[in-house]
Amino acid sequence: MRTKNKQFDNAPGQDAFLDVVANLVGILIILIMVIGAQATDAMVDAEPDQDEPQAAPVDPEAARNAASAVESDIHAIDAKLKRQQLEIAYRRSERDKMLQVVMGVEQQFEQQRAALDERQQQDLQATRELLAAQADLEDLKARRAALENARPAPKVIEHLPTPLAKTVFGTELHFRLLHGRVAYIPWNELVALLKEDAPKSLGKLRDTTQVTETLGPIGGFRMQYTLRRVQHLAPAGGGMTVQQRVELDRFTLVPTRDDLGEPLPQAMSEGSEFSDLLKRLDPDRTTVTVWVYPDSFDQFRTLKAELFRRGFSTAGRPLPEGHPIGGSPDGSRSVSQ
């Protein structure tokens, strides 16, 4: 700040010097005008007056010398004026450079002051964060002490008894659990329709090795089944012979829409289609098979608990996402618990 004041104090002195120089130039101009006027008067006085008696003739050589002297003075003064103008321009240039230096110093000073203010703000923010962290630490210590002194509440683990698994051979009821909805699968009804329709398709296998047919819909599901013609060796008359027969390759159940059935909470309530269907069956002779998809594994635990409460054995058949429900002669039977 002191340097800044000194530099600004020098600026008025420079302006005063320039004023003095300008005044000096004005004085020189006035002096030139006076000398020119005197030279003019001298030339007028040198002319003879007709009315007055003529004076002694003027020496021409002296007049030329006087004029040359005046002209020399004029040139000297003009040269001096030019030097003063150059000096003024030089001083102005020096002043402009000095002002630029002063402005640069001021700008640098402002930047340093701003940087100092930013560091101070950062220090203040760090102090605040430190105080907040200390407060959190004290709070955590208090909570830890409270937990150490408190008696833990007993945890109740709910579980279902798991009987020995057994293969299902009696009445089996099938349901699909998808998107949290329970839908009845008319498995037995479609299988009965398959047994009735398959003999009608035998004639189609004369010209091809397999044929696919579609049945239904029943209860919101269609059945697609495939029959195939196979050959095998069989003993006959002490030798072997080639025989042909028709076998069921596989069948799949295709739902007519995705929102079949009822939401699980509604299905477990009284008066639902699911509850009414279970009431017509004997729990001791019926196994409920649930075909469950990955998005409903959690709901399957709830459904299994409800079926256990009603006395039914439950078999779970998990399926990959998007995989259809189906069966084949090589497939496995449900295992209930």
Side-chain angles (χ1 to χ4, degrees), residues 67-312:
S68 298
V70 171
E71 185 177 0
S72 298
D73 293 338
I74 292 174
H75 288 308
I77 293 173
D78 184 56
K80 191 173 184 179
L81 287 175
K82 291 181 178 180
R83 288 196 300 272
Q84 294 297 334
Q85 291 176 354
L86 290 176
E87 183 70 19
I88 292 172
Y90 174 75
R91 293 295 181 181
R92 286 179 178 174
S93 176
E94 290 293 326
R95 184 188 62 180
D96 293 341
K97 292 181 180 179
M98 185 65 67
L99 290 176
Q100 291 178 358
V101 172
V102 171
M103 292 177 62
V105 172
E106 288 182 352
Q107 185 177 5
Q108 184 177 6
F109 174 76
E110 292 296 332
Q111 292 177 353
Q112 292 178 354
R113 187 176 65 179
L116 179 61
D117 294 340
E118 184 177 357
R119 286 197 298 270
Q120 291 177 348
Q121 293 177 2
Q122 292 177 354
D123 294 341
L124 180 59
Q125 182 65 24
T127 303
R128 290 177 180 175
E129 293 178 356
L130 178 60
L131 293 177
Q134 291 176 350
D136 293 340
L137 179 60
E138 295 298 329
D139 184 52
L140 290 175
K141 288 181 179 179
R143 291 185 181 182
R144 179 179 179 181
L147 291 175
E148 290 178 351
N149 296 330
R151 296 181 60 185
K155 296 182 179 179
V156 178
I157 300 177
E158 185 177 355
H159 70 284
L160 299 176
T162 304
L164 294 177
K166 58 182 180 180
T167 304
V168 176
F169 289 103
T171 303
E172 187 176 6
L173 204 63
H174 293 261
F175 290 91
R176 186 191 71 170
L177 184 57
L178 175 65
H179 304 320
R181 301 179 68 90
V182 181
Y184 170 70
I185 302 175
W187 185 282
N188 298 326
E189 293 89 334
L190 288 172
V191 170
L193 189 59
L194 168 62
K195 294 179 180 180
E196 179 182 351
D197 187 77
K200 301 177 183 178
S201 302
L202 296 178
K204 299 179 181 179
L205 292 173
R206 295 175 181 175
D207 301 326
T208 183
T209 57
Q210 68 178 24
V211 63
T212 301
E213 299 290 346
T214 302
L215 304 176
I218 299 177
F221 287 89
R222 290 187 174 91
M223 174 183 280
Q224 290 183 349
Y225 70 92
T226 301
L227 300 177
R228 62 180 179 178
R229 177 165 49 87
V230 297
Q231 297 178 349
H232 64 94
L233 296 177
M240 302 295 293
T241 182
V242 177
Q243 295 182 353
Q244 294 185 0
R245 64 179 181 182
V246 176
E247 295 180 349
L248 175 65
D249 182 39
R250 64 185 179 279
F251 68 86
T252 57
L253 302 183
V254 181
T256 57
R257 64 180 192 273
D258 291 336
D259 60 344
L260 291 175
E262 305 166 304
L264 181 59
Q266 177 182 347
M268 293 190 302
S269 62
E270 293 295 330
S272 66
E273 179 182 355
F274 176 75
S275 297
D276 292 342
L277 184 60
L278 293 180
K279 287 180 180 179
R280 298 196 297 264
L281 301 173
D282 183 3
D284 296 333
R285 300 180 179 179
T286 304
T287 298
V288 177
T289 298
V290 181
W291 300 78
V292 57
Y293 287 89
D295 64 352
S296 301
F297 284 163
D298 292 338
Q299 289 86 343
F300 174 69
R301 298 187 184 94
T302 304
L303 178 60
K304 184 177 180 180
E306 176 65 17
L307 292 171
F308 176 79
R309 186 184 67 82
R310 299 187 184 211
F312 287 92

